[in-house]
Amino acid sequence: MSSKNRFLFVKVLNSLLESDIALSKALIIIQKMKSVKNSVRNAAGEIELYLQQGSLFSVALQKCSSIEFNSIYGAFASCAQNGGSIRKIFNFLYKREDRIRQRRQKIILSVIYPVFVTIAAMTGCIALMAFGKNIIPNITGKFDFDLYHKNAVRGCISANIFLAVCIAFFFLSIKRIFSKEEYIDTFNILNFLTLSGVDFYNALKTSLLAVKSNSNLRNKIILALSDLEHGHRASKACQRFGEEFLLHMELAEQSGRADQALNSICENLERKSGEWSKVFMQMIEPVCMTILAVYITLLLKTVIMPALFEYGI
């Protein structure tokens, strides 16, 4: 809920700032808007009060209790205080929040179908075992329900172990694919801050705040920061991110156009991520159907076939 309120606050404030309305006036307008949630209006009131008391904008955001603004907001607000454009900064933050929301929606959509199929398969299996005596008539009078139940439980356990492994692999795949979105987020932040006049070291340090789940990326950034602290060039530091990044940064150092290098990196990352996400979404249904077919096959021998034999099928 906090992320939704933060997104709404950033969206409204960005729209007002895009209309060339001053920050203080924009905060007052938000407080009077009846169409936004109370938490958004309260956040605007809190921030305005802190600004009137002499607090810096970055400090006011961090103090706000109505909506949680994480450390990345404080870093960007500090950038605005040091000569950056508050309008451009909130425009970037709005687009960033929108990308994060879209990423979450893609994850939810990718999970819905597999979860539904899994629940349906497991429910049918459990129901057949639990109510076998009621739904399987003992036509021959020789059907051993106790033996059937024992074998069915064994078969169900084996099939569900297979299903659990597939589910675990599926979620690991989701995590791996969508964690690459953090690379895009990190280099978009790095690109924006360097264009806003922030030195490469501090821009990279700020981008580290955006890394939440990708420990591999976090370690690379920490090592890159260490390289810069030891006097290495930016291209040497970016070697931590792969040969492609090294090539772009070496070209940037030769041409003096770091903005073009970072733009190219961001575009390549977004293109590759989009391609992988598209393939993944297209493969979900056929892969789920294949897994379900194997799951049912594993259940045939011990759960379904005995019941069919009793019907003479």
Side-chain angles (χ1 to χ4, degrees):
M1 185 60 70
S2 177
S3 61
K4 291 182 179 180
N5 292 335
R6 184 174 63 238
F7 174 74
L8 180 58
F9 177 87
V10 173
K11 179 179 181 180
V12 174
L13 183 57
N14 175 61
S15 297
L16 293 172
L17 294 175
E18 284 286 299
S19 301
D20 291 327
I21 297 175
L23 176 62
S24 57
K25 187 176 181 180
L27 293 171
I28 294 173
I29 292 174
I30 293 175
Q31 295 175 62
K32 297 178 180 179
M33 295 177 67
K34 302 297 182 183
S35 58
V36 299
K37 296 181 179 179
N38 290 333
S39 57
V40 176
R41 294 200 297 268
N42 293 337
E46 281 189 60
I47 294 171
E48 184 201 5
L49 179 61
Y50 288 132
L51 291 177
Q52 290 177 352
Q53 293 173 350
S55 295
L56 295 172
F57 184 46
S58 58
V59 176
L61 284 175
Q62 296 296 301
K63 286 183 177 180
C64 181
S65 60
S66 297
I67 297 177
E68 180 183 356
F69 293 95
N70 50 39
S71 53
I72 198 75
Y73 280 84
F76 272 85
S78 296
C79 176
Q81 292 159 190
N82 294 328
S85 169
I86 188 68
R87 181 177 63 83
K88 290 182 179 179
I89 284 172
F90 266 87
N91 181 259
F92 175 82
L93 289 172
Y94 164 66
K95 292 179 178 178
R96 177 176 179 268
E97 287 283 351
D98 190 44
R99 285 195 299 269
I100 292 173
R101 282 171 59 85
Q102 290 179 11
R103 182 174 63 195
R104 288 173 180 166
Q105 289 174 354
K106 285 195 295 184
I107 293 174
I108 292 172
L109 289 174
S110 66
V111 167
I112 288 176
Y113 183 78
V115 168
F116 175 78
V117 170
T118 301
I119 292 175
M122 295 183 70
T123 301
C125 178
I126 293 171
L128 189 59
M129 287 192 306
F131 304 104
K133 291 184 179 181
N134 299 324
I135 63 177
I136 304 174
N138 194 351
I139 298 175
T140 62
K142 299 179 181 179
F143 191 77
D144 189 340
F145 281 104
D146 292 332
L147 179 61
Y148 167 76
H149 186 266
K150 181 179 179 180
N151 292 333
V153 169
R154 187 183 298 113
C156 183
I157 291 174
S158 300
N160 284 321
I161 289 175
F162 164 77
L163 193 60
V165 171
C166 291
I167 292 172
F169 180 77
F170 174 76
F171 280 105
L172 286 174
S173 299
I174 288 179
K175 182 180 179 181
R176 181 176 178 81
I177 290 173
F178 288 104
S179 66
K180 292 187 179 297
E181 296 281 345
E182 288 196 348
Y183 274 90
I184 300 174
D185 190 29
T186 297
F187 282 94
N188 276 329
I189 291 172
L190 187 61
N191 185 31
F192 177 81
L193 290 177
T194 52
L195 287 175
S196 299
V198 180
D199 64 274
F200 188 79
Y201 175 81
N202 285 309
L204 188 60
K205 192 173 182 179
T206 300
S207 69
L208 181 62
L209 299 174
V211 183
K212 301 298 181 183
S213 60
N214 196 326
S215 58
N216 185 39
L217 175 59
R218 174 177 289 275
N219 291 335
K220 288 180 178 179
I221 294 176
I222 292 173
L223 290 172
L225 288 170
S226 178
D227 288 338
L228 293 172
E229 289 170 356
H230 286 83
H232 295 295
R233 296 180 302 173
S235 59
K236 173 65 176 178
C238 282
Q239 187 177 6
R240 301 287 184 179
F241 305 106
E243 294 297 327
E244 182 179 356
F245 300 101
L246 173 63
L247 175 61
H248 282 294
M249 291 308 297
E250 285 183 339
L251 291 174
E253 288 177 346
Q254 296 296 326
S255 63
R257 296 299 304 273
D259 56 335
Q260 288 185 351
L262 290 171
N263 273 327
S264 297
I265 291 171
C266 292
E267 289 174 0
N268 288 339
L269 285 172
E270 289 176 355
R271 177 179 55 79
K272 291 179 180 178
S273 177
E275 291 173 354
W276 276 105
S277 297
K278 184 178 180 180
V279 171
F280 181 76
M281 296 298 289
Q282 290 175 341
M283 291 298 295
I284 286 177
E285 184 173 352
V287 169
C288 285
M289 296 305 296
T290 302
I291 292 173
L292 183 59
V294 175
Y295 178 76
I296 293 175
T297 301
L298 293 173
L299 294 174
L300 277 174
K301 182 178 179 180
T302 56
V303 180
I304 300 175
M305 292 305 294
L308 294 179
F309 289 150
E310 181 62 17
Y311 280 103
I313 299 176

